[in-house]
Structure formats: structure tokens, C-alpha cells
Amino acid sequence: KQLLVAAIDHSSQGNAATAASACHTLACELERGETVVLADGRVFDDQQLFCEVIRLDPANSLAFRNLGCVLAPGQILRLPDGREMGVRDLFLEALRLDGRSVHALSSLASILADGEAVTLADGRVVGKRQIYTEALSIDPTNVRSWIDLALSLRGIEPVILADGREMSRLNLLLEAVRLENPPPPPQPPSGDGENGIMDVDGGGDSQDASGHGGGPVNDTALLSLANALEADETVTLPSGHVVDSRALYMHIIWLDGPNARHALHNLACALEPGERVCLPDGRVLGEKELFLEAYARGSVPSNALRNLARALAPGERVQLPDGRTMDARELCIEAIRLSPTTPQAYNTLGNTLKPGETVRLADGRVMDNIRLFLETLRLDPAYSAAYCSLGFVLLQHQASLDSRAAVADGGNNSSGAPPPLPTSLGIQQQPNPSPPLNPQNLPALRVKVTLADGREMDCRQLLVEAVRLNADMGASYHNLACDLQAGETALLPDGRLLYNKQLFLEAIRNAPARSFGYVGLAVSLQAGELVALPNGVVVDSVGALRLAFEQNFDTGTAGTFDPTGEAIYGAMQNERLGLILSDAANDMRNFALHLLRKRLRPGESLTLSGGTVVERLA
């Protein structure tokens, strides 16, 4: 930096080109927010240095592009010639000066939303994919352009390149891997039966477990390919190796390149609860240890902390590499402090709170779970998990209203109802248009919440929206089924009108390894009624419950009260309410045991997987 400042000083008298080049290089060396003092006493940050380059060399396309890269979204800057420009204006000006700048094309495409178009200097109206395709036609060896074009595609839809080739997202990423040409993966460590995910040949004895042994490696395309694969999907690399996403993550970890830290994080996300894997260096780690390793290596700290929080058991604490110990709630608060605009951290924190509980964030804001979910949706209105989380909280309060309505209508009292409605900002209870409000039709009351965009939604609307945004999330179908009274149906975004039993089957179809769908299905079945599961197996209520005990009971939802065993469920005449409350309390296993004991015939008992013997409830 001192040499560059000296170069600017020496070339400031009569050599504008050299001064512009030195200013540009110095701007690229500065960290965000860092400043430098020039020889003449002027203090510049990176934005001001790029502006100085433009003053000295108004036709410098790269300076306009790089200035756009360091501007904040929505920021408008006045240039030395008096023009005012934002990020998009700067990228367009860079392309006006050099229409074949791959960097400017890629930068412009990166800020466009799907379906959004922009008019270039030559009058063409183009969208994100057209711009990436043009960048590839200019430089077909640019790995980043292949990756960016691939990531702009959705599902299996193809794109037609300038040379006429039709390519899918995976084909584009495989071409990026071919151009990146990383070293081939090694043989898996001997005796690695714990994971067995490296389906490779060859490798050579010279490749040890600590890394490939060469110089710097390129692993960006490998990471993008791994992230694009479904859980059980495989792909054949240009080297001939057949791999799945986990094998690719292992390969990247073995390469020990710039993306190894992200591969550790994403591998942890791919693990089932309690699962452990053997890394190339021989260590056997579970998801918590992998998240800690990723955090220690600097993999997007806010994401690593948030996902580490999700992996902790209630009340569990973990020690970070810097010596601090934190529980799940503290990890989320730290993740928000590090990245206050990351929506997922707010959602995860909301799932650690009980209704009525609040937390104080590092910036002083005090929030309960409803406020946290609303903040998540303000930051990302398309985040399906937040609609599901918020819908589940409202479902608990809706169940409370419904149970009170049953009492007012002369029905059976239900113990363990959720607490009274909170006074969170935006939450209200509104009657449906008909019938009029009176004690006999209190179930018509619908708990609603107002989103940042002005929409008012009850739990059913929130859960349907979650399904619209992500039709593969089993919890949304399960929670939606729990909201339905006997005989009610829910209209899904795809036009299907489903009863609660059908929704529980959808939950099982999309989350077959989770227990909640099976328990919900058991609640919805009449005595002796049979139903075919998505895999074709026919079960009754007892059969559904037995399958529940073969799956994972960790629902990942927040607790609302301390589990009190079977007594509270025995006092409930309404099994639907018990289903909701046990889910909220992470106590669904006890509730399922209670249901199973109720449904066994006199004198009947059965042994569950794991050896638990269940006898009929007295």
C-alpha cells in the first residue's frame, strides 16, 4: 500500500494513466471501510479511489464495474463529472465502455431478479440468463460464468448456449468442474465403514489424507456441484468417478482448498441426527463437531453458529474455539450480531422460545418468537420455513381458542391448553365473516398476524403459503392437518382439496424418516380403519404408531411447557390438541406411547424397536 501511495504521488504530475492504475490497484487492496492517506493529505476509501480512477481515466470500464461492486444496494454516488449513479448504472456504464467485459456482464446479471430485464447500450433487452450466456460466448473458459448460469436455472429446465448446445444445470456445473480440473479424489480411508460414501477408483498411494500434495487448488465448481445434488443423487465427474454430494464434500475437504470450510459446514447439514462420518484425516465427527470445525476455519460464521444451534439438544451448551460456551439461544443471538440481515438466524432463534418468552438482541431489540418470525419474513418474504414456524405458533393459540370454545359450548374441558394470546405487535384474533361472534361459535375466531408487507394471515393461510413456497416440507402439511377440525378440508396451491388424513400422508411422503406424520395419521384414523402409506404399506392406527417409533421423534420445534408425561394426555379428551401440544413441547414420543397404550386390546402388549414393551392402558 505504501508503494502504491508513492506511485500515485510520483505519477500525479503528468502521468494520469499510471496514477489511475495505481489508484485502482490500491482500491482493490483496501478492506471494506478501510482508508488510506495519500501524499497530498487526502484520505480515501475504496469508493473514493475508484472515483479518482474515473476522474483520471473516464473510459476505464473496470473502474466503473469495481465501483459498482463496492457500493451498497440502493446507494447513489456522485461521480467526478457530476453524474449520479447506483450499482446498476455503474455496471451498465462499464458495459457501454466495454461490451465484451465478462466481469461487467456477470456483475450486472448477479443483481437481476428472475424474470427481470435490463436495456443495454445497444438497445437489447436482456435478462439474467441471457447475460450469463453472452458472457460464456465471449469467454467459454470462464469457470465462474458456467457456475453462475447453472445457479440461475431452476430444477431440470435447460438453457440453450450461443453455440446451440442445450444444457441442464448439472451439465453446466460438470463443464465448470472440467475447466477447473481439480485433482481426482483419493481412495476412501481404509475401514471407513461408518460413512462409505466415496465411490471412486484409483487414487495412487502418493495422495495422503492431509491433502492432494500439490499447489493451490480450485474447488468452487466442485462445491457448487455438490450443493446442486439431491440427497441420493449421483453424478459422473469428468475424471470418471461416480459421486454423490457427500463424496464431493469429502473430496473438497481432502483437497483442503479455499472451500474446504464450506464443505465441512454443508456436510454437517447433510447428516441425519446422531450420524457420524469419517473425514479424510481419519477423524470421526458428528454434525456438531463439523459445524465447530467449519466455524473455526471461518465458514460464514453466522451460518455455522445458527446451524450449530439447531444441532444442540435443549439445555445443551457447546464450547467455541475461542473458549466461549453458549447454548442454542446464545448462538443464534451471536449469529444475528454477526449478520443482522440474515433471516434464517431469526427463524432459528424464534424456534428456541416459548410463547411469551423474549430475548434481547445485541443491538438492544427485545423480541418474542412471533416478532422474530415476522422479522424473518420481512428480510425474506419467500422463506418458507418461517411461514411454517409462525403458522405453528398461531396453531397453538388457535387450539387454545378452540378448546375454550368447546368448554363454552358445553363440551369437555381440555387440560394443558396453550397460554393466553401474547400481545406481540401485529397479532390479533378476528372472527370469520360468518357466523356472528357468540359463545356457541367461538371456533370461528381465527388468530391472525400482520406481516411487514401488510398481509393479514391466520395459521392456515401461513401454512398454505409455506406449502406454496416449498412443496417438499413435511412439517407444513403436518401442521396444516392439525389445524383442521373433523370434516374440514384445506385447499392447497396446486388445487388439491385435502382432509387431515390426506395431509398427514403428504407429511409422511415428504418426511418419511420423521415421526410426526405417522403420529398424526394415527390420530386421524378411526378404530379398525386401514390406509395405504405412500410406499404402499397398509397400516391401521397401531401400525402407524409402531412405524413412528422406528423414525426420528425430534420435530425441531420449540417447547411451550415442560413435559409432564402421560397424565396430561390422559386428561385430554381431544387427541388433536394433544398432538399439537406434544409437538410444541418436543414430547411427541410420550404422546405416541399414550396413544398406543389406548389402542391396544385388553391383555395385548407389543415390543417396539429398541426393546420398549408397551401394554394396554388401564
Side-chain angles (χ1 to χ4, degrees):
K1 293 175 188 175
Q2 292 170 322
L3 288 169
L4 290 167
V5 169
I8 295 169
D9 181 42
H10 285 292
S11 57
S12 60
Q13 304 298 324
N15 195 339
T18 303
S21 177
C23 282
H24 190 280
T25 306
L26 181 57
C28 294
E29 287 290 322
L30 295 185
E31 299 290 337
R32 190 62 55 88
E34 185 183 3
T35 59
V36 64
V37 181
L38 301 186
D40 59 10
R42 290 180 294 170
V43 179
F44 281 174
D45 60 13
D46 52 0
Q47 292 185 12
Q48 294 165 315
L49 281 168
F50 284 129
C51 283
E52 181 69 2
V53 177
I54 292 170
R55 184 186 71 81
L56 296 167
D57 183 5
N60 191 316
S61 170
L62 189 57
F64 280 94
R65 181 262 180 182
N66 287 343
L67 179 55
C69 290
V70 299
L71 241 61
Q75 183 181 355
I76 303 296
L77 197 67
R78 182 182 294 274
L79 300 183
D81 60 8
R83 289 181 293 171
E84 292 186 345
M85 290 189 173
V87 175
R88 181 180 302 196
D89 305 316
L90 290 164
F91 293 153
L92 286 170
E93 180 66 8
L95 285 172
R96 186 188 69 80
L97 294 168
D98 181 4
R100 294 182 61 81
S101 169
V102 171
H103 294 303
L105 284 167
S106 297
S107 297
L108 177 61
S110 71
I111 64 170
L112 297 182
D114 288 339
E116 188 178 5
V118 67
T119 303
L120 302 182
D122 58 11
R124 288 180 299 152
V125 178
V126 292
K128 178 192 290 282
R129 294 173 196 171
Q130 292 167 293
I131 296 173
Y132 284 137
T133 301
E134 182 164 342
L136 276 178
S137 70
I138 295 170
D139 182 7
T141 66
N142 189 299
V143 171
R144 187 70 247 179
S145 295
W146 288 96
I147 295 173
D148 288 338
L149 179 57
L151 297 182
S152 73
L153 300 181
R154 294 291 178 266
I156 60 173
E157 63 176 322
V159 64
I160 299 177
L161 303 185
D163 59 11
R165 285 183 293 168
E166 184 176 279
M167 301 185 77
S168 67
R169 179 168 60 167
L170 288 184
N171 295 143
L172 292 166
L173 291 171
L174 285 169
E175 181 64 14
V177 171
R178 186 188 68 79
L179 292 167
E180 206 170 56
N181 194 28
Q187 290 279 17
S190 58
D192 76 328
E194 188 146 2
N195 59 53
I197 60 177
M198 297 290 285
D199 182 12
V200 299
D201 300 313
D205 295 336
S206 62
Q207 298 173 324
D208 60 39
S210 62
H212 61 94
V217 296
N218 297 314
D219 55 8
T220 303
L222 281 174
L223 182 66
S224 299
L225 178 60
N227 293 341
L229 292 178
E230 299 293 337
D232 299 322
E233 191 175 8
T234 61
V235 67
T236 303
L237 298 181
S239 62
H241 297 79
V242 179
V243 294
D244 61 9
S245 59
R246 293 193 182 193
L248 286 168
Y249 291 138
M250 287 290 201
H251 185 189
I252 296 165
I253 294 167
W254 171 78
L255 289 171
D256 201 24
N259 284 304
R261 53 188 179 170
H262 303 312
L264 285 162
H265 176 275
N266 295 352
L267 178 60
C269 292
L271 297 187
E272 295 293 335
E275 186 181 2
R276 300 175 71 80
V277 292
C278 181
L279 297 187
D281 62 9
R283 288 180 297 161
V284 178
L285 303 181
E287 58 178 343
K288 285 181 283 192
E289 294 94 342
L290 287 169
F291 284 132
L292 283 169
E293 180 85 2
Y295 175 77
R297 294 197 186 193
S299 173
V300 191
S302 61
N303 284 346
L305 291 174
R306 172 183 67 87
N307 283 315
L308 177 58
R310 295 177 60 200
L312 296 185
E316 184 180 2
R317 301 183 69 83
V318 67
Q319 184 172 15
L320 300 184
D322 60 12
R324 291 179 294 169
T325 60
M326 295 186 177
D327 60 15
R329 197 171 295 182
E330 292 164 331
L331 288 168
C332 289
I333 292 172
E334 178 67 4
I336 293 171
R337 185 188 70 81
L338 293 170
S339 182
T341 59
T342 299
Q344 295 90 338
Y346 293 91
N347 187 71
T348 305
L349 179 57
N351 282 327
T352 70
L353 298 183
K354 302 174 184 178
E357 275 193 309
T358 60
V359 292
R360 182 179 296 276
L361 303 185
D363 59 9
R365 288 180 292 169
V366 177
M367 295 182 139
D368 62 6
N369 56 3
I370 291 178
R371 285 189 176 93
L372 287 163
F373 295 139
L374 288 172
E375 179 68 5
T376 305
L377 293 173
R378 184 188 70 80
L379 294 168
D380 183 1
Y383 189 44
S384 59
Y387 287 97
C388 185
S389 298
L390 183 55
F392 183 68
V393 171
L394 265 61
L395 174 62
Q396 296 169 60
H397 296 299
Q398 191 65 54
S400 175
L401 282 179
D402 294 348
S403 65
R404 292 167 192 163
V407 174
D409 197 28
N412 292 307
N413 197 350
S414 297
S415 302
L421 296 180
T423 56
S424 301
L425 179 66
I427 191 169
Q428 52 190 297
Q429 48 188 84
Q430 297 182 353
N432 287 335
S434 62
L437 178 63
N438 61 64
Q440 278 64 46
N441 51 52
L442 274 175
L445 275 172
R446 296 297 292 177
V447 182
K448 291 197 173 187
V449 70
T450 304
L451 275 59
D453 57 14
R455 288 180 294 168
E456 290 184 356
M457 304 181 84
D458 62 20
C459 62
R460 193 169 304 179
Q461 293 167 319
L462 288 164
L463 293 167
V464 169
E465 182 69 1
V467 171
R468 184 186 72 81
L469 293 167
N470 182 2
D472 300 327
M473 188 161 57
S476 299
Y477 295 100
H478 172 83
N479 293 341
L480 185 55
C482 290
D483 184 51
L484 298 184
Q485 301 282 359
E488 276 192 303
T489 58
L491 179 63
L492 299 190
D494 60 10
R496 288 181 295 165
L497 199 62
L498 301 186
Y499 292 97
N500 60 356
K501 185 190 313 176
Q502 297 166 308
L503 287 166
F504 286 129
L505 287 171
E506 282 298 310
I508 293 171
R509 182 192 314 279
N510 289 282
R514 307 296 291 276
S515 296
F516 52 74
Y518 300 94
V519 180
L521 180 63
V523 168
S524 71
L525 292 178
Q526 300 295 322
E529 183 180 2
L530 299 175
V531 66
L533 301 181
N535 62 3
V537 175
V538 177
V539 298
D540 60 5
S541 180
V542 171
L545 290 168
R546 292 193 68 164
L547 287 173
F549 284 95
E550 297 176 8
Q551 317 306 327
N552 173 26
F553 267 103
D554 178 16
T555 61
T557 54
T560 58
F561 64 96
D562 294 329
T564 56
E566 191 174 88
I568 186 171
Y569 303 126
M572 292 179 184
Q573 301 299 319
N574 186 339
E575 289 184 349
R576 168 179 165 269
L577 180 61
L579 179 63
I580 295 169
L581 293 179
S582 65
D583 191 1
N586 279 332
D587 194 43
M588 192 175 284
R589 188 178 190 279
N590 281 333
F591 179 62
L593 280 171
H594 170 75
L595 292 178
L596 194 52
R597 295 183 67 196
K598 281 179 61 178
R599 282 158 170 73
L600 291 178
R601 292 187 295 272
E604 185 182 9
S605 66
L606 56 84
T607 302
L608 303 175
S609 59
T612 302
V613 178
V614 182
E615 297 179 346
R616 176 178 168 81
L617 186 65

